[in-house]
């Protein structure tokens, strides 16, 4: 999947679409999901043009990689989720239902999140 410079996260980074910012540094922006699936639902995105975790892990600089990983813990602390627990999720590709072609993580917390995946019936 090629990077689309008009995807909603690219537009948020350019300031064309508003967001409720939770955290920002030189390499990362985190904001509240507009359709939260848990009491705490934050989206973390790198500021660079990366389509997936594969793309990010292969092409990002060491500084970008470190900043992104550190941001997860910082946001968990900011949101009060570090002690009680939280989940991070990234969807990649069609089978995982990736909706925006910009690498991002979802951070969920604030309630019992249940099992990772539903068991087949």
């Amino acid at each position: 999947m090629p990077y689309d410079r008009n995807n909603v996260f690219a537009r948020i980074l350019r300031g064309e679409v508003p967001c409720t910012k939770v955290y920002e540094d030189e390499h990362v922006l985190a904001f509240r999901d507009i359709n939260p699936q848990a009491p705490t639902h934050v989206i973390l995105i790198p500021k660079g043009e990366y389509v997936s975790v594969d793309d990010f892990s292969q092409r990002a600089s060491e500084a970008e990689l470190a900043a992104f990983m550190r941001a997860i813990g910082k946001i968990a602390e900011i949101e009060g989720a570090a002690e009680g627990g939280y989940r991070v999720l990234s969807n990649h590709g069609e089978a995982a239902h990736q909706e925006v072609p910009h690498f991002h993580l979802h951070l969920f917390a604030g309630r019992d999140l249940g099992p990772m995946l539903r068991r087949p019936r």
Side-chain angles (χ1 to χ4, degrees), residues 18-93:
C19 71
T20 303
K21 202 177 295 183
V22 171
Y23 175 84
E24 184 173 20
D25 66 23
E26 180 182 355
H27 301 290
V28 180
L29 175 64
F31 49 91
R32 300 211 181 281
D33 193 290
I34 61 170
N35 185 26
Q37 305 299 305
T40 298
H41 187 169
V42 177
I43 305 235
L44 291 81
I45 61 174
K47 291 184 174 180
E49 295 180 352
Y50 304 104
V51 175
S52 66
V53 70
D54 298 342
D55 186 26
F56 182 67
S57 67
Q58 291 171 17
R59 296 190 312 110
S61 70
E62 295 299 319
E64 289 173 297
L65 291 165
F68 197 81
M69 292 307 294
R70 287 188 178 110
I72 296 168
K74 289 176 184 177
I75 292 160
E77 283 289 329
I78 289 166
E79 294 295 305
E83 271 192 46
Y86 58 95
R87 177 176 293 158
V88 292
L89 172 86
S90 180
N91 299 312
H92 171 66

